[in-house]
Amino acid sequence: MTHAREYASGGSTRRNVVLSGGAAAIGLTLPATQVAALVFGQVRPSNSNREGSKTMGTITTKDGAEIYYKDWGSGPVVTFSHGWPLNADAWDGQMLFLARNGYRCVAVDRRGHGRSSQVSTRNDMDGYADDLAEVINALDLKDAVMVGHSTGGGEVARYIGRHGTRRVKKAVLVAAVPPIMLKTPANPEGLPITVFDQIRAGVAGDRSQYYKELARAFYGANRPGATVSQGTLDQFWLWSMQAGALNAYECVKAFSETDFSEDLKKFDIPTLVLHGEDDQIVPVKDSARKSAHLIKGAKEIYYPGAPHGLTATHQDQFNADLLAFIQA
């Protein structure tokens, strides 16, 4: 939500006093989130005069979770689903670029992450996909290009598997977790469960330090000759710490053990599968290359030497490839 303030001559002081008093009175009977919505108004994107607009707000899902979204620009719609354990801000480099090029960009904080509520239920792919569907329906988004990075790619796949493509025009899976990360009898090339147990231990232990160390592999800063800025590493830590510990912990099972194979087979729209060949988080051979075989007619792009967080380390290249696919 955004706070509406009045700066007209002579009006700001009185308005602020009235709002403060009203908030105090309302606060006697209502939760803080409802007070903010009543006093300041929950921002919703307008269907008219959207040029250059930047809005944000929340929706409340059927099970009572508050899901935060940001909504920038106007024009054809592009939605963004973020990786674990980040939030919608991880897409700022793409949203700013596309909004300046005539697109409406909508990004959602997954439940339990960022500014969405830290609920203790439905921290799984079905829940994530249904939350995304509720945002898309609430904003009445149509002909959307759905973009998902890492766990967000699984979210996009499960959305299509559960809700179809009636509102979707194209899909983009970026360094995405499908078809399934975990090593199983049906997926012998996958990662052993001990890898994910170690991730859970990091979240349950000194998660602040764990996220600082994870950032280096995420962006390939641990590779010889890497030029990843400290700012990029710092923002990963900041976004990660905004996720609830419970939610981040439970999300590990969701992104590692969910089998998206049947979801991918339901893709009936143009799809781009894009991945870095030096991804240390989601190995390319057991993810993108397999997903591309399950999605009919999928286009594939692979970046030699690129890490998992290529949307930041290869931002200009990725933005150009994304725009080209959207416009094709």
Side-chain angles (χ1 to χ4, degrees), residues 253-299:
K253 180 180 178 66
F255 74 65
S256 64
E257 298 183 33
T258 303
D259 189 341
F260 300 96
S261 299
E262 295 305 312
D263 301 305
L264 297 174
K265 294 175 183 178
K266 294 180 181 180
F267 279 47
D268 57 0
I269 52 175
T271 302
L272 172 62
V273 176
L274 191 149
H275 216 106
E277 292 186 341
D278 190 31
D279 191 323
Q280 301 172 66
I281 309 298
V282 182
V284 61
K285 290 183 179 180
D286 196 46
S287 54
R289 297 193 187 280
K290 289 185 176 181
S291 291
H293 285 114
L294 292 172
I295 301 171
K296 185 177 180 180
K299 179 180 179 180

Side-chain angles (χ1 to χ4, degrees), residues 209-234:
Q209 185 61 36
Y210 174 74
Y211 290 146
K212 287 189 175 184
E213 294 169 358
L214 178 62
R216 297 185 57 76
F218 192 97
Y219 295 111
N222 57 350
R223 296 306 200 203
T227 57
V228 181
S229 73
Q230 188 61 47
T232 296
L233 300 176
D234 288 347

Side-chain angles (χ1 to χ4, degrees), residues 34-48:
Q34 294 184 32
V35 172
L38 286 171
V39 175
F40 297 110
Q42 183 167 302
V43 176
R44 298 291 188 186
S46 169
N47 290 325
S48 61

Side-chain angles (χ1 to χ4, degrees), residues 94-157:
Q94 286 67 51
M95 292 181 65
L96 178 60
F97 171 77
L98 290 179
R100 294 177 64 193
N101 279 277
Y103 291 87
R104 179 183 178 185
C105 301
V106 177
V108 174
D109 282 1
R110 186 172 301 115
R111 66 169 53 205
H113 297 66
R115 292 140 292 200
S116 291
S117 59
Q118 296 183 10
V119 293
S120 58
T121 56
R122 303 206 76 202
N123 293 303
D124 54 41
M125 281 297 167
D126 287 355
Y128 303 153
D130 291 350
D131 290 346
L132 180 58
E134 290 203 46
V135 173
I136 289 174
N137 293 339
L139 301 183
D140 195 24
L141 305 181
K142 299 174 181 177
D143 294 324
V145 176
M146 300 187 74
V147 184
H149 174 253
S150 194
T151 299
E155 186 177 291
V156 169

Side-chain angles (χ1 to χ4, degrees), residues 94 174 274 303 310-311 314-322:
Q94 286 67 51
V174 186
L274 191 149
Y303 292 176
L310 58 83
T311 57
H314 293 64
Q315 179 174 299
D316 291 343
Q317 181 181 359
F318 173 70
N319 287 355
D321 286 336
L322 177 61

Side-chain angles (χ1 to χ4, degrees), residues 1-18:
M1 293 180 290
T2 56
H3 291 180
R5 293 192 177 120
E6 181 175 311
Y7 292 101
S9 177
S12 60
T13 302
R14 178 176 177 177
R15 177 173 171 80
N16 289 339
V17 170
V18 171

